């Protein structure tokens, strides 16, 4: 019988290596091969000390490997007995295409596991001091993407706005039509909005405003960091520590800079 | 000037200590005092080796401490210079009342930080092999609670069902009226449903069915473990490894038992 390796689909969290889970760290340390995307931090990759590292993400608008090629590489490596880590920003099953990869592994009979990660969709707002749920303010959270404005419009049209926090990934470039869609769906112009760029990373930026200000073109941020859009009453909250912690307590300090 | 300690509001993840973040582990190890809830695993608490541990949750329907008392204990301890960890199941800002605690700390001028955790609302489905988003199947996720069936009804009435995965916490005891509410809102009777009990823990259980079967009273599970309700086409998926891993590879094995 052939030696069979295994694949772990691992969530790398929002970026900061301290937000990796212990299991993610263990899998990286034991890995022979790591396949990683553009959003994975260099400090995270360094934990895979004995592994061959293989970039399979999108750079300058081009995919290094197609999804089918990624599947083929994982399956081939596992069949050769290697321990493969497929490392994804955030959580592998939250907008990570992890489902497609798990299906391919399952069909090929390769042993695999899912290692959940801290999704940036929820931790991004948290690290900006926004509780995505808050008693008497928001009791539900809708996470979605912003790449299809039409589908987004159809979905939010019937959604009751009060009490729902809306978190939009991959929508920063279309933030004006997305804000328009919410206004047309009847969300109040004064609904608070926050943009959270580069959550958990040293350059984390937060912009706070309203739906009407976003629709009017405010909220431009410099930089390439992925930017979340948070819409709802909680977006006006900024639960960050007001104290000045001493310099050597950097880990404890909430980084806050404004767009 | 008085010595000032600090408070970390720490997410403990879904239960399995391997799903703690590295930062959560560091905060627990450094803590003088840990305030914890009912859902926090004993193996997680053990990491706080030098800390006094204080149960502040709900047991047998009664709160050990009121929310205001929890705030007072945290503030008093921090003012005495202690490093306090307020440990919450999942993520502190996702149905964790962390927002209220952060507000109290902010108002009192106590240095604090939020340490995001792996929320069981998203990792629970993952560990049951359900990708909460999946290309061509589900592009949005709505997380909510089930303790107010009327509010739930109002919210889902306008929500377009196709493409949305609905995840309901704290609704297992009301699963029949919640399923009824979705049927009345026009969700198809054949919509897949999964119940995930005790996600990440040794006794993890999964039941799979449909909205109509749930409404008819199926899906009863034994045990006290918190149970999530997952509704949507992805709930029919079971992306778990089919291979039999050897006994000493327990960590890699997906635990699956049926309700």
């Amino acid at each position: 019988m052939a030696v069979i390796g295994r694949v772990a689909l691992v969530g790398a969290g929002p970026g900061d290596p301290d937000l990796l889970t212990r299991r993610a760290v263990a899998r990286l340390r034991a890995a022979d091969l790591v396949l990683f995307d553009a959003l994975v931090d260099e400090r995270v990759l360094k934990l895979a000390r004995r592994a061959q590292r293989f970039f399979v993400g999108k750079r300058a608008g081009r995919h290094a490997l197609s999804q089918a090629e990624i599947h083929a590489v994982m399956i081939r490596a596992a069949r050769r007995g290697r321990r493969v880590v497929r490392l994804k920003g955030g959580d592998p099953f939250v907008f990570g295409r992890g489902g497609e990869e798990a299906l391919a592994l399952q069909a090929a009979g390769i042993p695999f596991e899912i290692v959940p990660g801290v999704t940036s969709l929820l931790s991004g707002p948290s690290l900006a001091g926004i509780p995505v749920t808050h008693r008497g303010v928001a009791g539900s959270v809708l996470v979605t993407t912003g790449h299809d404005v039409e589908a987004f419009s159809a979905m939010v049209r019937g959604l009751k706005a009060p009490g729902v926090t809306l978190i939009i990934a991959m929508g920063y470039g279309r933030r004006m039509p997305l804000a328009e869609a919410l206004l047309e769906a009847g969300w109040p112009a004064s609904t608070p909005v926050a943009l959270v760029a580069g959550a958990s990373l040293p350059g984390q930026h937060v912009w706070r405003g309203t739906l009407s200000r976003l629709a009017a073109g405010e909220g431009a941020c410099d930089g390439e960091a992925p930017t979340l859009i948070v819409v709802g009453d909680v977006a006006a909250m900024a639960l960050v520590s007001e104290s000045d912690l001493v310099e050597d307590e950097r880990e404890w300090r909430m980084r806050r800079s404004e767009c």
Side-chain angles (χ1 to χ4, degrees), chain A:
Chain A
M1 227 198 94
V3 176
I4 275 272
R6 48 202 193 186
V7 178
L9 302 178
V10 175
D16 185 327
D18 283 350
L19 293 176
L20 284 169
T21 65
R22 301 165 96 195
R23 184 168 295 159
V25 173
R27 294 298 174 265
L28 283 167
R29 291 205 170 128
D32 301 310
L33 172 66
V34 176
L35 306 178
F36 66 99
D37 288 329
L39 292 182
V40 172
D41 197 278
E42 181 59 35
R43 295 166 297 170
V44 171
L45 283 176
K46 278 193 179 140
L47 294 168
R49 287 177 292 223
R50 39 186 300 277
Q52 189 185 349
R53 299 172 207 166
F54 196 0
F55 175 72
V56 298
K58 207 162 143 181
R59 205 163 264 171
R62 269 190 62 215
H63 284 279
L65 253 66
S66 72
Q67 197 61 43
E69 285 167 334
I70 294 171
H71 299 169
V73 170
M74 289 195 298
I75 291 166
R76 203 162 49 225
R79 287 205 171 128
R80 285 179 185 157
R82 304 183 78 186
R83 294 174 185 225
V84 182
V85 165
R86 174 69 177 107
L87 193 62
K88 292 167 169 293
D91 180 280
F93 274 1
V94 182
F95 305 118
R97 303 192 72 167
E100 290 162 75
E101 296 177 10
L103 267 178
L105 294 167
Q106 195 177 48
I110 304 292
F112 71 95
E113 68 166 348
I114 309 299
V115 181
V118 171
T119 174
S120 50
L121 282 148
L122 300 179
S123 63
S126 282
L127 294 167
I130 299 168
V132 296
T133 67
H134 193 63
R135 192 163 277 238
V137 179
S140 303
V141 184
L142 181 69
V143 299
T144 190
T145 60
H147 43 227
D148 182 342
V149 177
E150 209 166 309
F152 177 84
S153 284
M155 186 181 56
V156 297
R157 208 164 293 140
L159 189 68
K160 303 286 174 201
V164 177
T165 302
L166 184 59
I167 301 172
I168 308 165
M170 295 170 269
Y172 179 68
R174 283 163 296 279
R175 63 195 182 278
M176 289 171 68
L178 292 167
E180 281 296 347
L182 287 166
L183 292 170
E184 279 166 28
W187 289 50
S190 61
T191 304
V193 173
L195 301 175
V196 183
S200 93
L201 297 173
Q204 180 179 313
H205 273 59
V206 182
W207 175 87
R208 285 173 214 272
T210 60
L211 263 187
S212 57
R213 288 175 58 195
L214 193 68
E218 289 187 55
C221 280
D222 286 335
E224 298 288 304
T227 301
L228 289 175
I229 307 173
V230 186
V231 185
D233 289 334
V234 293
M237 300 177 79
L239 300 179
V240 288
S241 186
E242 291 302 326
S243 62
D244 288 321
L245 295 171
V246 297
E247 194 57 30
D248 63 6
E249 289 176 327
R250 286 181 61 223
E251 279 194 301
W252 281 82
R253 195 173 42 194
M254 181 71 56
R255 296 171 191 279
R256 284 176 302 149
S257 52
E258 298 298 316
C259 266

